[in-house]
Amino acid sequence: GAKLEEEIIRVQQLLEAAQIEFQLEGDTHLKHAPPLVENVMSMSLKEACTNVVKHSQATVCRIHVQQSKEKTMVAVEDNGTGIAKEKAGTHGHGLQGMRERLEFVNGILEVSSPAGGGTRLYIEVPNIIQ
Ligand code: ATP
Ligand code: MG
């Protein structure tokens, strides 16, 4: 499966090629996540950053990785146009596929619009596979 730290290097290149400033917070080397969880996280991060490049018109994208023994959390935030509410659940597209993969590992996806503008995706997955 794809390692999160390797995917982060790829999305950094993708964002910088699109002239979007890349900011990273947290340790990208996952210590507690099983391979399936890490793989789903990596795929979700890739889709989130592809969306930032394709749709957001942002100038900055910030990735925040947090981990505990119990769960792994990744937030992807941009300062772009923001995501229309009705689009956050569109079927047959990237976000819907992300939700389905996350459900499979008992994870959650929250899409929100921060007060300052832009879009924030928050992903949380337990490190224990049921
Ligand atoms: P696909 O992922 O299948 O290539 P898509 O990117 O259009 O297609 P989704 O990833 O599901 O589909 O996203 C749904 C819609 O939400 C997008 O078409 C876009 O309008 C909006 N969107 C997604 N991410 C962002 C973002 N970071 N900023 C602004 N709009 C966004
Ligand atoms: Mg997409």
Side-chain angles (χ1 to χ4, degrees):
K3 288 277 183 194
L4 187 73
E5 53 193 321
E6 289 162 9
E7 194 58 57
I8 286 181
I9 292 166
R10 280 193 286 270
V11 299
Q12 174 173 10
Q13 289 167 347
L14 185 80
L15 289 160
E16 286 174 350
Q19 319 254 294
I20 299 170
E21 185 187 330
F22 171 82
Q23 297 180 353
L24 177 63
E25 196 185 329
D27 188 355
T28 63
H29 182 79
L30 299 187
K31 292 176 191 70
H32 310 289
L36 179 61
V37 168
E38 179 148 18
N39 198 33
V40 171
M41 277 294 186
S42 300
M43 286 194 291
S44 299
L45 180 81
K46 183 182 185 181
E47 173 57 23
C49 293
T50 303
N51 278 348
V52 172
V53 170
K54 280 204 298 188
H55 307 297
S56 76
Q57 296 179 266
T59 57
V60 181
C61 178
R62 183 179 188 81
I63 295 170
H64 188 183
V65 181
Q66 275 181 285
Q67 44 183 324
S68 68
K69 257 190 179 152
E70 289 75 31
K71 57 190 181 177
T72 305
M73 296 147 279
V74 175
V76 178
E77 203 172 319
D78 69 61
N79 68 342
T81 57
I83 183 168
K85 254 245 146 38
E86 67 276 11
K87 284 183 177 156
T90 311
H91 284 258
H93 292 287
L95 286 175
Q96 185 61 28
M98 201 194 295
R99 272 190 205 285
E100 284 164 8
R101 285 189 206 99
L102 284 164
E103 270 170 34
F104 183 65
V105 290
N106 294 306
I108 53 164
L109 166 66
E110 286 171 11
V111 182
S112 60
S113 306
T119 301
R120 182 173 192 265
L121 263 64
Y122 173 77
I123 297 157
E124 184 182 296
V125 184
N127 291 326
I128 286 108
I129 298 173
Q130 309 290 330

